[in-house]
Amino acid sequence: MVKRVLLYGKSVLIIGLASALAHDPNLEILQGESLELTDFTGIDLILTDLGDAETVRALPRLCALPGVSLVGMDAPSSTLTLLSGQSQSTQTLEELTNALVHWDKQAGSKESTNNFDSL
């Protein structure tokens, strides 16, 4: 089943991820930069850059979307955080893609020893 993933924001990291993930057949990548102009219908997961101050201000409204997992990405620590409290280390593009495809709201954290060098 294809996951509809919204990359929210306009940071360099989000723009780079959109390009890098666009060809994965397991992901339908969408982009949004504004709460008012973004259609959240049918979105499975929202990925945002926690280092982007503008996007961080939108987190309370993004968290309030029913049935949508919100994942924050912190590039300096190479960590994805499900904003309900779970974290997963994803330090390569392959690990990030696998996390997005297989993210389960009930899954625990996984450890990794690689880094985001491929991003």
Side-chain angles (χ1 to χ4, degrees):
M1 181 175 174
V2 174
K3 292 265 189 176
R4 294 189 80 211
V5 178
L6 173 68
L7 301 178
Y8 186 84
K10 53 187 173 187
S11 71
V12 172
L13 179 61
I14 292 296
I15 293 167
L17 283 174
S19 176
L21 297 173
H23 304 292
D24 189 301
N26 297 305
L27 301 173
E28 180 182 348
I29 301 299
L30 308 164
Q31 285 187 265
E33 298 177 4
S34 165
L35 292 172
E36 291 75 28
L37 300 177
T38 302
D39 180 8
F40 295 98
T41 307
I43 299 295
D44 296 305
L45 184 110
I46 299 172
L47 179 65
T48 188
D49 179 0
L50 294 177
D52 180 5
E54 185 177 325
T55 300
V56 168
R57 285 190 288 275
L59 290 180
R61 289 185 57 196
L62 293 171
C63 284
L65 295 169
V68 178
S69 295
L70 176 61
V71 177
M73 189 164 103
D74 181 49
S77 67
S78 299
T79 302
L80 291 179
T81 301
L82 180 62
L83 294 176
S84 64
Q86 298 174 340
S87 296
Q88 179 173 340
S89 181
T90 58
Q91 300 179 8
T92 66
L93 183 57
E94 181 179 354
E95 288 176 341
L96 173 64
T97 301
N98 287 334
L100 295 176
V101 171
H102 301 290
W103 197 282
D104 181 335
K105 293 179 186 179
Q106 305 305 317
S109 65
K110 297 178 183 174
E111 295 300 320
S112 175
T113 58
N114 297 321
N115 56 36
F116 272 124
D117 291 336
S118 63
L119 295 181

